Amino acid sequence: MSQKTVNGKVIFVGAGPGDPELITVKGSRALESADRVIYAGSLVNPELLQICRPGTPIHDSAHLTLEEVVTLMDEGTKNGETIVRLHTGDPSMYGAIKEQFDYLDKQTIPYSVIPGVSSVFSAAAAVRREFTLPEISQTLILTRLAGRTPVPEKESLAKLAKHQASMAIFLSVQDIGSVVKELLEGYPASTPIAVIAKASWPDEEILLGTLETIEEKVKAAGIRKQAQILVGDFLDPANGYARSKLYDPTFTHEYRQGTAT
Ligand code: SAH
């Protein structure tokens, strides 16, 4: 005799960088509909949990192993629950989601992903900068320093620095000295760098400097975690930058006839 199963599902939701208004409308609706929520308590703003229906069971994954998280998903979805797994920023950056997907695939538990505003974009907003300035850089590298989680040698910060592209470095501010040392393998010492701690939170902090000055500033401010390190000439282009073609009156494109002949 076949056992009757009611199928629930798991929705991975990007919570955004901190400000509870920076979750997407779709993510917020998923939280409203959730029968159970598993959230990354170390970084997700708990204010977001107020969106849930009163009495919704909430689990802080900071205290759980992968096995415990997927057991909750397994048991909940067997009871027909919609489970929201709330990750900080956008789940696809350092979210450890693939290992959860693999488990759900194995168990044939359906899941979907709702993206979020990554802290990298919240940090750029905080300093009011554009990563992609014409003739300065058209590339943004998202990376981290090797820590307890290794980084493949071919992607070492020193190697990536050789591109002198715009760069955002996650998970590394606690070792700002090593970050600067590796960056100096590729960028000139006068290159601007910004450290944005707790972007979009009420206690957000912004430090601006160069590769020569930033280490001292970070240490003086006592910033040891939850910060983005942004580096590159996009922060302060010493010799200016080229204006966009798209909005240049002489330039013709699909939607507009320019004045140049
Ligand atoms: N998925 C997240 C990143 C998780 S890894 C995202 O898309 O933002 C955690 C790292 O993200 C932290 O070490 C820090 O480098 C960065 N981070 C997370 N929230 C932040 C915030 N509000 N301000 C600055 N950096 C933040």
Side-chain angles (χ1 to χ4, degrees):
M1 246 184 46
S2 70
Q3 202 189 339
K4 187 173 174 286
T5 52
V6 204
N7 277 330
K9 61 179 183 232
V10 179
I11 311 177
F12 291 82
V13 175
D19 179 343
E21 291 192 349
L22 286 177
I23 192 169
T24 64
V25 173
K26 194 162 183 160
S28 176
R29 289 197 179 129
L31 267 184
E32 256 167 38
S33 74
D35 299 308
R36 185 176 299 276
V37 173
I38 308 169
Y39 80 113
S42 54
L43 285 171
V44 168
N45 191 337
E47 273 184 43
L48 280 168
L49 302 172
Q50 291 167 14
I51 299 171
C52 304
R53 295 189 308 261
T56 305
I58 311 270
H59 309 266
D60 179 356
S61 61
H63 309 290
L64 302 176
T65 61
L66 170 65
E67 285 69 16
E68 287 167 331
V69 167
V70 295
T71 299
L72 282 169
M73 291 175 172
D74 200 20
E75 289 173 1
T77 52
K78 275 197 181 116
N79 290 323
E81 290 178 0
T82 293
I83 298 183
V84 164
R85 175 71 169 107
L86 195 56
H87 281 276
T88 179
D90 182 85
S92 69
M93 282 306 295
Y94 307 112
I97 48 176
K98 168 81 168 117
E99 58 195 29
Q100 299 173 67
F101 297 169
D102 288 346
Y103 176 85
L104 296 172
D105 282 335
K106 226 183 292 162
Q107 304 296 116
T108 62
I109 296 169
Y111 60 90
S112 57
V113 183
I114 299 174
V117 176
S118 173
S119 59
V120 61
F121 299 117
S122 191
V127 292
R128 294 172 296 170
R129 295 298 202 282
E130 176 180 353
F131 287 119
T132 52
L133 290 179
E135 294 176 24
I136 299 293
S137 177
Q138 292 289 292
T139 302
L140 171 60
I141 296 173
L142 305 184
T143 189
R144 63 169 297 172
L145 197 67
R148 283 200 287 180
T149 303
V151 170
E153 171 49 32
K154 63 186 189 324
E155 299 172 8
S156 72
L157 215 46
K159 284 198 172 133
L160 297 177
K162 307 264 188 229
H163 292 280
Q164 295 189 16
S166 304
M167 195 188 288
I169 307 165
F170 293 68
L171 294 159
S172 303
V173 77
Q174 69 288 349
D175 201 358
I176 186 72
S178 304
V179 171
V180 167
K181 199 162 149 258
E182 292 213 33
L183 291 176
L184 283 170
E185 302 275 320
Y187 296 92
S190 58
T191 305
I193 180 166
V195 169
I196 300 102
K198 299 203 82 179
S200 86
W201 291 74
D203 50 347
E204 170 185 288
E205 256 183 285
I206 297 173
L207 303 177
L208 295 168
T210 65
L211 287 177
E212 276 166 328
T213 61
I214 200 72
E215 182 177 353
E216 215 176 289
K217 290 188 181 187
V218 168
K219 289 191 171 149
I223 296 172
R224 296 202 45 79
K225 59 178 191 174
Q226 226 174 323
Q228 278 285 347
I229 303 169
L230 308 183
V231 61
D233 282 336
F234 77 95
L235 284 165
D236 187 10
N239 302 310
Y241 60 95
R243 59 175 280 178
S244 70
K245 297 270 185 235
L246 191 63
Y247 299 107
D248 180 339
T250 63
F251 187 75
T252 298
H253 57 73
E254 196 181 343
Y255 298 99
R256 189 171 52 74
Q257 177 65 47
T259 55
T261 46

